[in-house]
Amino acid sequence: MTPRPRTRPVVRAALPAVLLTLACAGPAPGAATPAAPPPAPADVRGTAPAGVRGTTGALAPAAARTGAPRPRTFDTAPARAALGRLLPRHAGQFTLVPDPAAAADTFTVSGTSGALTVRGSTGATLLTGVGWYLQHVAGADIGWPGDSLGMLPATLPGVPAPVTRRAVVPHRYALNDTDDGYAGPYRSFEEHQRQVDLLALHGINEVFVQVGAEYPYYRALQDFGYSAEELRKWIPGPAHQSWWLLQNLSGFGGPVSERLMRERAELGGRIAEQLRGLGMTPVLPGYFGTVPPGFAARNPGSVTVAQGDWAGFDRPDWLDPASPAFGKLAAAYYAQQRAVFGDSTMYRMSPLHEGGRTGSVDVKAAAGAIQDALHAAHPGALWAVLGWQDDPTAELLAGVDTSKLLILDGLSDRYNRLDRETRWGGAPYALGTIYNFGGHTTVGANTSVWIERFGPWRAKGNSALTGIAYLPEATGTNPAAFDLFTDLAWEPGNVDQRAWFAAFAARRYGRPDAAASAAWEELRKGPYSTSSGLWSESQDSLFTARPSLTAAGAAYWSPKSMRYPADSVRRALDHLLAVDPRLRGSSAYRFDLVDTARQALANHSRVLLPKIRAAYEAKDLALFRELTSQWHEGERQLDAVTGSDPNFLLGRWLGAARSGGADRAEQDRYEYDARSVLSVWGGRGTSEGGFLHDYANREWNGLISELYARRWQVYFDSLEDALVRQAAPREIDWHAFEEEWARRTTPHPSRPSGDPYALATRIAQALPPAAAPAR
C-alpha cells in the first residue's frame, strides 16, 4: 500500500509577492515550465510578512527583514509563541521582557514561584534564559531529542537570586551544509520550527537555512540561456542538494518538479522569518560561481573551469568570478534570493570544496570578486566559510577583507597541534565540532577536547576565536553532546566535565537518581571522552556494514576499531535499567535507554564477527551456524528495540519523502532519493569507486530488517553453502543488491511499537555481562 502524501497547505499570506504570484499562476504540479524569461523579482525589502510586528503592532521595519541591527526594544511575540510550543503547560508562568539596558547576548532570570521573569537582548536570548532556568533551577531537560518536562511541578520554583549571563563569544553558529540531506530533506515546517526553537533555547544565534536554496538558481539561470526543463534536470533531489550547493554533483535524485521547488522555497522563507522574528541570523547560501554545463557557450566572454570528479560524480562547472558574467549572474541570484528569503547579514560559501580545480583562475582575485558581489547585494555581509581539509587556503584569505569573514572550523576537536591564528593569518574563526558523519546513530563525542581547548584558545593573547560552530553532519543524535557544546558559549568559567555530566543525568530524567548518575558517568568516561588525534566521531556498527568476515566499519571513512572501552556502554545499560520506575516515563529516558541498548548491541558485533570468521576458517560448520544464528538474533533485537522509539524509524524518513510527490511517479522518485542517500548514495561509480555506499548508515527500524539483516543473511548463506560444498563462496554483486533495495517502495511503520524497557532488558540479558570497572 502506498503511503498517502501529507497535505502541504500553502500559507499564502506569509509568501513574498513574487512567490505568491508563482504559487497562484504556476503550472500544474509536476509540469515543466515554459522556457520563458522569469519575472523580475519583487522588491520586498520594505515590507514584512504577516505576523512579524513591531512593539506598537505595526508591520516591522525593513531592519527586521534585512537582518540589520535591531533596536533594543523588540516584539516578544515570536519568543512567546516559541515558549508556548516548548513549554505548553508552563509558558504562562514566564514574563518575557525586552531589556534596552542589557548588553548584547545577555539575559537575566529572576522571580518567585510561579512568577518568573526573563529579560534579554533579543527574543532568542530570552529563550536561552528560559533554557538556563530549566537546566539550573527547575532541573528539567528539553533535549534534541527527548525531554523530561512531564516531571516539572505544576507551579515552577522561583529563582533564589537574579542571575545574569552573557555569551562569551558573539558567533554561535549551527548546522552543517549536509544537515538538510542527512537529517531530513523532506521535513515539514513544524519540524524545522521545532529545530529553531531548540537552537534558540540552547543559545544559538546564527542558523544555516538551506531548504529551498535551489530556487534562486532555478529562477536566475533562466536569464542566462537555460530552459526551466534543463535546470530541473540539473538540480538534484532534496536528499542530494547539500552536495550540489557545495559544487560536488548535480542531477542525481531528480528531476525536481517546479511545484516542489516552490514549496521548498516557501518553507525556507518561513524558516528565515522565524529566525528574524527571534532576533537570530538566517545564514543563507551565497553565490560563488556554480553553473550548469555549457555556460560559456551560451554566454560569450565567460570563462568556466571544469571541476572534475567528486567521488564518482562529475562536478558542476565553476564560473571564473573575474568573468563579466559572474557579477551579472551573482546579482540576479541575490535578487531572486531576496525576493523569496529576504536579506541577511551572513552568507555561506565554500569555493573549491574537497578538491575543486582552479585551472587558470587567480584564486586571490576570485575570492575578492566573490566577496565584492556579495557586498554589492548585501553591503558589509559576513562570509562564512567552512574550515575543512586545506580550506580556506592562504590564497583565498589573501583576496578578502577577513574582518567580514568567519571560518567555521570543522576540525577543532579532530587533530592535535592546531594553531588557527597562524594557519589562517588571524582571520576570525569559530571552534567547531563534527561528531556525527552521515547521520550515524553511534553514541559519543570528543567532549573533553572541547573543554580542554575552548577556554585556552579563547584566552590566547592573539586569539582570533570569536564563536562556536555546531556542525554535526546530521542533527538529532547525541543530546548530551548538543547540550554540552552549546553550554560552552554561555559559561563564564571552565566547564568541569564530570560535574556537568552528573548534573545532566539529574535533569535529563527530571530528578536526581543514583542509577542514572552511574549510567552517565560510564558514558562520560567512555564514548564522551574519546581523544583527538585522528577522529571526531566514534566507530559505527558492523551490523550495518557491507558483509565481509574482515569488516572493520560500515562507512569507508569511519573509525575501524573501538574508540573507547565497550564495557562502559554495557555497564551504562545495566544502570539505566535500574533507574527508578517513576522516572522511566519521559521521552528522554526512553530515547536514552533505546540508544544505549542499541549501542551496546552494536559494540557486541565487533566481538561476534571475529568468532564467526574463526569458525568459518576452521571449517567448523556447527559452530558457524550457531554463531551466525546469534548474529541474526542480534539484528532482530536491534530492529525491535529501535522500533520502540520514533527517532529510529525508517518509515518516518520514507513517508516524508513520499509526501513531496504529487503523483505516484513523483513519490517513487523522491523515495529513491531518500533511500539511495542511506545506501548506495549514488550510481555504481560513486558507490564503489567513490566508496560512498553505507556512508550514511544508521541503525533504524526497517532499515535493519529490510537491508542490513537481509544482506548479512545472503552472505552467511553463501558461506554456509561453501562449507557444505567445500568450495569457494559465490560472488555477490552488493551494489546491485543495494540498488534493488533503494528502488523499493515498501511501506514501513511511522509510529513506534513495543515496550522499550522490556526490549532493552532482553538485550541486556542476551549480552555478556560487563567487566567490573577499574578502581
Side-chain angles (χ1 to χ4, degrees), residues 556-579:
Y556 180 81
W557 284 277
S558 290
K560 297 300 182 281
S561 60
M562 292 290 300
R563 294 198 62 220
Y564 55 84
D567 277 351
S568 62
V569 175
R570 179 67 186 84
R571 287 191 292 268
L573 175 58
D574 287 341
H575 289 310
L576 283 177
L577 289 168
V579 164

Side-chain angles (χ1 to χ4, degrees), residues 522-523 526-527 539 562-573 596 599-604 606-607 770-771:
E522 291 291 349
L523 293 172
Q539 72 291 332
M562 292 290 300
R563 294 198 62 220
Y564 55 84
D567 277 351
S568 62
V569 175
R570 179 67 186 84
R571 287 191 292 268
L573 175 58
T596 306
Q599 189 64 57
L601 199 49
N603 290 346
H604 186 61
R606 294 179 174 273
V607 175

Side-chain angles (χ1 to χ4, degrees), residues 46 174 243 245 270 325 374 482 498 530 544 569 582 644 734 748:
W243 298 271
L245 288 171
R270 293 179 69 190
L374 172 63
F482 171 60
R498 183 168 187 167
T530 46
T544 64
V569 175
R582 292 172 294 181
S644 67
W734 288 121
H748 289 272

Side-chain angles (χ1 to χ4, degrees), residues 547 711 714-716 718-719 729-737:
R711 200 163 56 175
V714 168
Y715 179 65
F716 286 146
S718 74
L719 296 185
R730 61 185 175 87
E731 291 288 331
I732 301 171
D733 185 341
W734 288 121
H735 177 76
F737 184 98

Side-chain angles (χ1 to χ4, degrees), residues 52 64 70 74-79 122-124 271-280:
V52 181
R70 292 172 171 269
F74 54 89
D75 184 9
T76 61
T122 66
I271 295 165
E273 288 302 337
Q274 183 192 2
L275 290 163
R276 291 187 190 97
L278 291 171
M280 304 166 78

Side-chain angles (χ1 to χ4, degrees), residues 33 49 63 136 147 200 244 307 335 458 486 490 542 605 649 660 672 674:
T33 301
H136 294 277
D147 68 67
W244 170 68
Q307 290 299 287
R458 194 167 59 87
T486 51
W490 292 90
L542 299 189
S605 69
L649 301 181
Y672 175 73

Side-chain angles (χ1 to χ4, degrees), residues 309-520:
D309 171 271
W310 181 83
F313 284 106
D314 289 331
R315 302 175 66 133
D317 291 344
W318 186 36
L319 174 61
D320 182 352
S323 297
F326 178 85
K328 297 177 183 177
L329 179 50
Y333 169 89
Y334 286 121
Q336 294 290 350
Q337 185 184 64
R338 175 184 296 114
V340 180
F341 296 89
D343 294 327
S344 186
T345 56
M346 191 170 186
Y347 290 79
R348 251 306 277 122
M349 294 180 281
S350 285
L352 305 169
H353 175 75
E354 292 192 352
R357 297 178 180 178
T358 60
S360 61
V361 172
D362 181 332
V363 173
K364 177 180 176 181
I370 291 169
Q371 190 173 54
D372 287 346
L374 172 63
H375 287 171
H378 306 286
L382 199 65
W383 175 355
V385 61
L386 182 64
W388 180 250
Q389 295 183 352
D390 295 328
D391 294 329
T393 63
E395 292 82 2
L396 184 146
L397 293 174
V400 301
D401 175 358
T402 56
S403 72
K404 302 298 183 183
L405 188 86
L406 178 67
I407 301 170
L408 310 170
D409 185 9
L411 300 172
S412 297
D413 61 344
R414 184 160 181 166
Y415 299 121
N416 295 326
R417 295 180 294 278
L418 297 175
D419 184 339
R420 291 344 216 161
E421 284 72 21
T422 299
R423 171 72 176 78
W424 291 321
Y429 74 97
L431 180 142
T433 180
I434 307 177
Y435 61 77
N436 173 290
F437 286 82
H440 301 160
T441 41
T442 190
V443 167
N446 296 352
T447 68
S448 57
V449 181
W450 305 343
I451 295 169
E452 290 164 4
R453 293 184 178 177
F454 182 66
W457 284 14
R458 194 167 59 87
K460 289 169 59 176
N462 66 337
S463 178
L465 195 161
T466 60
I468 61 168
Y470 180 67
L471 300 170
E473 284 198 338
T475 50
T477 66
N478 284 311
F482 171 60
D483 276 20
L484 176 51
F485 187 76
T486 51
D487 271 2
L488 293 176
W490 292 90
E491 286 299 319
N494 292 330
V495 173
D496 181 313
Q497 189 208 34
R498 183 168 187 167
W500 189 94
F501 272 91
F504 177 79
R507 70 175 182 271
R508 183 66 175 158
Y509 311 131
R511 297 282 190 282
D513 179 85
S517 179
W520 279 100

Side-chain angles (χ1 to χ4, degrees), residues 184 195-196 253 371 651:
Q195 177 171 281
V196 170
Q371 190 173 54

